Amino acid sequence: GARVEYDFSNDTGTVSSFVTSTFSFESTTPSSLEKLKSYLEIIPEDKVEQFNIEGAANHLTIVHNPLVISAITLSNEISQKVGIEAEVLSDGNEGKVWEFPEANGKEVLKEKQSRWMRPTVIFSGFFWIISMLSLIGGNWEYLKYVGLISVAFGLPPIAIKACRTLRRFQFDANCLMMFATLGAVALQEFNEAAAIAFLFSLSEWLEFRATNRARKALSAIVDLRPEQANLIHPQTKKMIVVPATAVPVGAMVCVRCGDKIPCDGIVVEGSAVVDESSLTGESRPVQKHLNDEVSGGTVNAGNSQIMVQTTRSSEDSAVSRLIRLVEEAQANRSDTEKLVDSFARVYTPVIVFAALCMCTIPWGWGREIGRQWTEMGLVLVVIACPCSLIISTPVAYVAGLAATAQNGILIKGGAHLEALGNIGKVYFDKTGTLTEGQFKLLHLEIVGQAYSRKQILEYLALMEERASHPLAQALVDGAKAEGVAIPKSFWVKDHTFLPGEGISGVVNGLQVFAGNERLFTRLGHYESLPSPEKKMVSGWESTGGTIGFMSIGDHGIVCLYCVADAIRPESKQVLDEFHSMGIEVSMLTGDKRDAACVIGKQVGLNDEHIKSELLPDEKLAIVSEAQVEPSNQSRCFLNNIFSKRKLVLMCGDGVNDAPSLAAADVSVAMGAGAALAMETADVTLMDSNLTKLSYSIKMGKRVIRKIIQNVIFSLVIKFLVLGFALADRASLWAAIASDVGAMILVTLNGMSLLPLKSSQGRNAGGAETPNEGGETASEGGVPAMIVSSV
């Protein structure tokens, strides 16, 4: 029956760090109040949760996180950036009582199953072997009664599980084995009854041993979640040990050598080497310095402690999101698995009914005939056991999912892993997918005399610091590199993301646009750009740079800039592999044609497979048109064998890619990309390494082959033994031996996809390469799904 190992509802929730502070301000104009509102609205929610402005009473209430932004800081920033003198009336942090629960030190209890066989199984086998000596005949014949002792040891566990199943008005393998054992005892075939009881019990233990590595991977998922944290108390500044779930956003935690980082955060003191293999599958630790981001669940593997300021709660950390996605994957069963289970549900009752007829009706023709047909009926009951057939598919899925997870590849279930094996077309986004997404500002040219270079950079930095596109950070960094800071008098409202074009906003009452040529063509500004500047744009595009413009108020385009992005070192190798596998590859980008072709040709694409100047809905249309059949059609292995249809894969990283990711048969997101892309995707490459996409597709093909091998082998064995049974040439012990043997063989065949513990080699990209036997080299990493046990 079911047993509660750990109730996570007992976990302590995150301690709220938000307080309410009040401010007063001098009488001011409605426009200044609107400016104050705009300023408070753009403050991130982890700093300011809500606010209320009472203009008539000159009163302001702010709910804020004092660990991140204090009341005094808010007062100063309002005065400096909005121009309203705000005085703190009450600081919510002064009266706040920080009550943190104590860590109880209790670990999640896990069931420890012995590696060794149960004593009852050993005794059952011992007495069965003795009973088999009765076949010698003569004075040894009485030893057949020892088989009853073997049954007494081996049958009770089977009977208990069978009774539980029968109470639900269902049949399973335990029911069939119980019926066969009792039938053999009734016919006084005690050694054969012992064979059924022992060999079936033995098969369960062998199955457990064969799948033990995958089960260990499942149980290890709890170990990824940090249990406690060394919190620096916000008021006393003393270090206290609290549950990781109680750490608030903005708190300071001390991560000592060997400790798990409790939450996502930023290093504010010290430096250390961090082991991120639990999330990315990469065995090489990563050096973390001041202001570097760290993820919850990773381990400080260095020789010094670090201080981390948390940016997310434990429940929202990277490892918690990973656990939720893995749980979702466990519930996602493929069409092949459902088909096999459906077949077994029909096949088993039919065989049982036939066996029942064989065990009863022939007795009307006499005792000898009845006994002969009853023996054949019992053999048929054993043959009806669908163990090897049912386990043939999930065992391959669990091994494939475990192998990919250990490489930092999260696949949301066997259905998507199987679909990866049938990919015929792959569409890549350019920025952040085929390229690294790390832009640098190469050129900035001023248009006209309305604004100086410094003023242009101020506007650009203000607009882009709130944008999520990778090139936005390059513009902000470019402004900082020239010593330009955003003026405190600048404020922006109505900051809006324009899909496939850029961004817009109102800065100090002036409408500002920043984006690509498509945006400014739509606005009617690009046509008025002087010819020298247009020639300059063409020259930049020929080098593969991404071109952008900015307009301010009624001045039209006031600047043009060029940012460049480096191609991922593995991109060309991966695309070459896809071409050698017969997979058609195309690139989809919103960039201009010249810039897109420069990047495309460097990764081995011809002009036909470079799609440029695309809006998100145009990307969606291309992906949808490539699907010759609806994406929700059954993808079971029968279709994979007899249909030539190839599936469509889309790989991207940004918000722009979310619609096309959702439309593709298989969607792949880069782990460093936008959260929306990861939520939409079927597959996530945790460390954004494209070699792991190639590895996933190869693993999908291997999984399909293993499933086909297992199913065909299981059915051939079943029908072969059935033929011998109908010809009266199969005994009960031979039938159970063939059934157990088939189950063990399909299990081992599927589990051969798992990584070899002794192997350590990785390829240059970090992903492991499966050998001819389906084995890969690695251990550790993200846990895999559970395999259904028969």
Side-chain angles (χ1 to χ4, degrees), residues 765-782:
E768 300 152 1
T769 303
N771 62 30
E772 199 59 35
E775 297 158 340
T776 53
S778 177
E779 57 182 319
V782 182

Side-chain angles (χ1 to χ4, degrees), residues 120-132 134 143-155 158 177 180-186 188-202 732-733 736-737:
T120 54
V121 179
I122 296 174
F123 288 137
S124 178
F126 174 74
F127 288 115
W128 170 62
I129 293 173
I130 293 177
S131 71
M132 292 295 289
S134 65
L143 289 177
K144 70 178 183 179
Y145 293 102
V146 178
L148 289 173
I149 303 177
S150 174
V151 172
F153 278 110
L155 185 60
I158 299 173
M177 293 303 111
T181 303
L182 295 177
V185 170
Q188 297 188 357
E189 297 290 345
F190 302 129
N191 53 358
E192 294 197 350
I196 297 172
F198 166 66
L199 291 176
F200 185 71
S201 299
L202 176 66
L732 271 174
W733 69 266
I736 184 65

Side-chain angles (χ1 to χ4, degrees), residues 157-159 161-162 165 172-179 200 204 790:
I158 299 173
K161 287 182 278 189
T165 304
D172 68 356
N174 294 288
C175 299
L176 300 178
M177 293 303 111
M178 183 180 71
F179 296 154
F200 185 71
E204 289 188 322
V790 177

Side-chain angles (χ1 to χ4, degrees), residues 447-448 520-521 523-534 551 554-558:
V447 179
F520 289 93
T521 300
L523 297 174
H525 294 332
Y526 186 78
E527 289 74 9
S528 59
L529 189 67
S531 296
E533 277 73 12
K534 288 184 178 179
S551 67
D554 297 327
H555 295 287
I557 295 177
V558 296

Side-chain angles (χ1 to χ4, degrees), residues 222-388:
V222 178
D223 296 335
L224 288 179
R225 194 192 303 268
E227 296 175 7
Q228 59 187 32
N230 300 317
L231 177 71
I232 306 301
H233 197 285
Q235 292 173 332
T236 65
K237 304 304 179 183
K238 293 182 179 179
M239 188 175 74
I240 58 176
V241 180
V242 301
T245 54
V247 177
V249 175
M252 302 288 290
V253 292
C254 175
V255 184
R256 297 172 297 192
C257 305
D259 284 353
K260 289 180 184 175
I261 298 172
C263 310
D264 293 0
I266 298 175
V267 178
V268 294
E269 181 182 316
S271 64
V273 174
V274 175
D275 180 3
E276 297 181 334
S277 60
S278 60
L279 293 179
T280 66
E282 285 293 336
S283 60
R284 293 185 294 273
V286 180
Q287 185 73 39
K288 298 292 183 179
H289 300 285
L290 193 65
N291 296 325
D292 283 347
E293 294 182 355
V294 290
S295 299
T298 57
V299 178
N300 180 358
N303 297 318
S304 59
Q305 71 176 26
I306 54 175
M307 298 294 293
V308 175
Q309 184 173 31
T310 61
T311 56
R312 288 190 178 95
S313 63
S314 176
E315 289 84 354
D316 196 36
S317 65
V319 68
S320 294
R321 295 196 303 273
L322 175 63
I323 291 171
R324 287 195 292 270
L325 291 174
V326 169
E327 290 170 347
E328 178 185 337
Q330 289 178 241
N332 188 349
R333 300 173 74 236
S334 75
D335 291 321
T336 300
E337 194 172 353
K338 294 174 186 176
L339 176 68
V340 171
D341 285 351
S342 299
F343 174 77
R345 281 196 295 270
V346 175
Y347 154 86
T348 303
V350 169
I351 297 296
V352 170
F353 178 75
L356 181 63
C357 293
M358 293 172 67
C359 292
T360 55
I361 296 175
W363 286 92
W365 280 268
R367 180 182 177 85
E368 189 64 31
I369 293 177
R371 181 183 179 86
Q372 180 183 355
W373 279 88
T374 299
E375 289 181 356
M376 287 192 293
L378 293 178
V379 172
L380 198 59
V381 168
V382 174
I383 296 171
C385 178
C387 295
S388 60

